[in-house]
Amino acid sequence: MLEQPEFGQLLKTLRQQRGLSQAEVAEGGMSTAYLSRLESGARRPTAKVLDHLTRRLGVPASVFQGTHTSLLGQALASASSSDDTDDAIRLLGEAVQAESGEDLSLRWLSLWQLAQLHAKQGKRQGELAAARELTELSDRLEVSTLQVRSRTLLARCLRAIGDIDEARAVAQAALITADNGAVPAADTIRAQLVLVSVEAESGLITEARRLADQLLEPIDALPPVLRAEALWSAANVRIRQGDYPGAVELLQRALTELPSHVDLVLRLRLAASSLYLQMTPRRVTEAQQWLAEAERALGLFGGPLHRQELLVIKAHLAFYQRDLVQAKMLCEQLTDALPQLTFRDRIRLEVLAHQIRILEGDREAGVRRIEELALEAQNASNVHLASEIWRTLAETLAWASERQAAPASGSPRTSTRESPPEADSAPR
């Protein structure tokens, strides 16, 4: 077994990579204080403690059995301690390709780290490839926890690129495995959260609501991060059902009960702004407030993907604040970032660009492209997104007709700052 402090350093790395708190790992096997001393190197683990840790972390005991001198082990160590994400991806990617390795657990851990690095950079195809190999490898290892985590990650990747049907099948498989194996409750909940999102996007709102309500039943017993994510998911489903009062209540609760988890603080503020813009009528003022909060948080922390997501929401917000010049500028600024956006954000941003095109007078080309994007969403089984696009097109055509009719009524021709339908008034 690894000696201290190397054992504690590896233990802490494995825990943090899985997004688990010390309390979640310690539960049922030791006190949080004891786990903290293990991680700091102040205590040595007993055989019983080691067995508990491997089960909670979902890794075989061999991970803790001495140092790794293989190329893959060296690359993992270098990548985990590197501040240069691109360099870490290169190191791990080369090592994974060069060495198949007999230590499957080390390979699994390396691929997991590689997937996280790809996600951080918005390299969705790289993350997807790593998730697929993780899923295959977890089946070879026959560790239920790894099978659930791999499939949850894969389902999330598939949803992000717009493959809703496969995402649903993979998320359902993750939940079946979780039900049949000794898997930490947090992993089951994460798989449920992905399935809620997939069902909602595919138009199966009743099923999504049922799953979301199941997550809310033990809400107070959930760890803080999962509690906030469950409230967020349930609010998203209610918005798609048109239950705006219920959505606002859950969203406000998620935002006011935020744990001290900086990434989630930023993501939920961005999500709140986006969700308020999806309501009918759109809650532009509230969206603007939460976007301002997110932008302040982004100034302190956050990565390139957070910045891109913020700009996407800013573009939509500018449109509904009647500032077509700003909205168009932001759309053009994000052109190079389209491959890094999720399928949903990419489609919605392209729709926005062609809404502006229609309002600028190029009606035929704008309508044709929006219709193509609606069909693309429909063919991807993203029924909710397709419905949103058709509704958006109808609103835009109505607004364009009003702008054209304005001079005929004797009033001055409206400027690019005229208000779109169904938007609340927002202070300039």
Side-chain angles (χ1 to χ4, degrees):
M1 187 189 303
L2 285 171
E3 295 294 332
Q4 290 287 26
E6 287 80 8
F7 179 91
Q9 292 169 351
L10 177 57
L11 172 59
K12 184 176 182 179
T13 297
L14 292 171
R15 177 179 63 77
Q16 291 178 336
Q17 286 176 344
R18 284 151 180 75
L20 298 173
S21 66
Q22 287 186 335
E24 288 174 298
V25 174
E27 183 182 2
M30 69 195 77
S31 68
T32 304
Y34 182 84
L35 178 61
S36 180
R37 288 194 292 273
L38 282 176
E39 290 188 354
S40 69
R43 294 291 299 271
R44 284 177 54 83
T46 64
K48 182 178 179 181
V49 164
L50 181 61
D51 180 63
H52 173 82
L53 291 174
T54 56
R55 283 187 288 105
R56 297 298 289 177
L57 295 170
V59 297
S62 61
V63 168
F64 295 104
Q65 298 296 322
T67 58
H68 299 288
T69 58
S70 67
L71 174 63
L72 195 55
Q74 294 171 8
L76 180 60
S78 298
S80 299
S81 58
S82 175
D83 293 328
D84 186 336
T85 303
D86 287 328
D87 185 58
I89 290 175
R90 180 187 61 78
L91 285 171
L92 272 179
E94 290 175 354
V96 166
Q97 289 182 350
E99 184 177 313
S100 59
E102 295 300 322
D103 190 338
L104 299 184
S105 60
L106 177 61
R107 186 171 183 81
W108 192 95
L109 187 58
S110 300
L111 285 165
W112 182 266
Q113 177 75 358
L114 186 59
Q116 307 306 308
L117 292 169
H118 278 306
K120 185 176 180 181
Q121 293 290 81
K123 297 178 178 178
R124 301 200 178 277
Q125 292 304 319
E127 183 187 10
L128 177 63
R132 288 195 184 281
E133 188 170 351
L134 278 165
T135 301
E136 296 172 2
L137 195 54
S138 66
D139 289 340
R140 292 174 62 190
L141 286 164
E142 297 182 339
V143 178
S144 297
T145 302
L146 299 187
Q147 291 173 319
V148 172
R149 287 176 186 164
S150 299
R151 283 172 170 79
T152 299
L153 174 63
L154 178 57
R156 196 161 56 240
C157 292
L158 290 165
R159 172 180 169 266
I161 66 170
D163 194 338
I164 298 298
D165 290 336
E166 188 179 358
R168 180 190 298 108
V170 172
Q172 288 172 338
L175 284 174
I176 291 172
T177 303
D179 290 339
N180 295 334
V183 173
D187 290 297
T188 302
I189 292 167
R190 290 189 181 95
Q192 288 177 302
L193 286 168
V194 174
L195 187 56
V196 168
S197 299
V198 170
E199 299 289 36
E201 291 191 6
S202 61
L204 300 175
I205 304 297
T206 301
E207 178 63 12
R209 175 66 179 261
R210 183 186 68 80
L211 291 168
D213 287 349
Q214 281 183 358
L215 288 169
L216 293 181
E217 290 173 4
I219 190 70
D220 292 330
L222 296 181
V225 171
L226 288 179
R227 182 164 65 246
E229 291 186 347
L231 289 165
W232 170 16
S233 293
N236 198 7
V237 172
R238 279 161 174 73
I239 282 177
R240 297 180 185 199
Q241 285 185 309
D243 179 9
Y244 301 127
V248 169
E249 179 183 353
L250 292 170
L251 195 55
Q252 290 291 348
R253 184 176 173 187
L255 289 161
T256 55
E257 294 185 8
L258 283 175
S260 56
H261 189 293
V262 292
D263 180 67
L264 188 60
V265 167
L266 180 53
R267 286 194 295 123
L268 280 183
R269 287 173 178 172
L270 289 169
S273 182
S274 179
L275 290 179
Y276 275 120
L277 287 179
Q278 294 174 42
M279 294 182 181
T280 305
R282 292 176 176 84
R283 307 277 287 272
V284 175
T285 302
E286 289 92 336
Q288 182 182 25
Q289 291 168 349
W290 283 114
L291 194 62
E293 291 286 332
E295 191 159 18
R296 280 193 287 271
L298 188 62
L300 300 173
F301 49 82
L305 286 181
H306 292 131
R307 170 64 60 183
Q308 289 164 9
E309 186 177 351
L310 183 136
L311 291 178
V312 169
I313 300 171
K314 262 192 169 183
H316 287 283
L317 180 62
F319 181 82
Y320 290 110
Q321 286 181 313
R322 309 178 295 281
D323 191 344
L324 300 190
V325 174
Q326 175 73 358
K328 183 176 182 179
M329 183 192 73
L330 289 168
C331 286
E332 292 172 348
Q333 185 177 337
L334 284 160
T335 300
D336 292 340
L338 286 178
Q340 298 176 7
L341 299 177
T342 64
F343 176 81
R344 180 180 180 81
D345 281 349
R346 176 181 65 79
I347 294 291
R348 293 184 76 240
L349 189 67
E350 286 197 58
V351 168
L352 178 61
H354 288 86
Q355 286 179 268
I356 296 169
R357 190 173 184 178
I358 291 171
L359 294 171
E360 288 179 334
D362 193 355
R363 180 185 179 113
E364 183 178 349
V367 169
R368 182 171 60 251
R369 182 55 184 153
I370 291 177
E371 289 175 341
E372 291 171 354
L373 291 166
L375 291 174
E376 185 176 345
Q378 192 169 311
N379 291 336
S381 298
N382 200 319
V383 176
H384 183 269
L385 179 58
S387 175
E388 178 188 323
I389 295 171
W390 290 119
R391 178 171 69 93
T392 297
L393 177 57
E395 290 176 3
T396 306
L397 291 174
W399 185 16
S401 297
E402 290 174 8
R403 286 161 56 85
Q404 291 175 350
S409 65
S411 60
R413 184 175 180 82
T414 52
S415 71
T416 56
R417 295 181 182 273
E418 182 184 4
S419 176
E422 296 190 354
D424 69 355
S425 59
R428 294 283 319 155

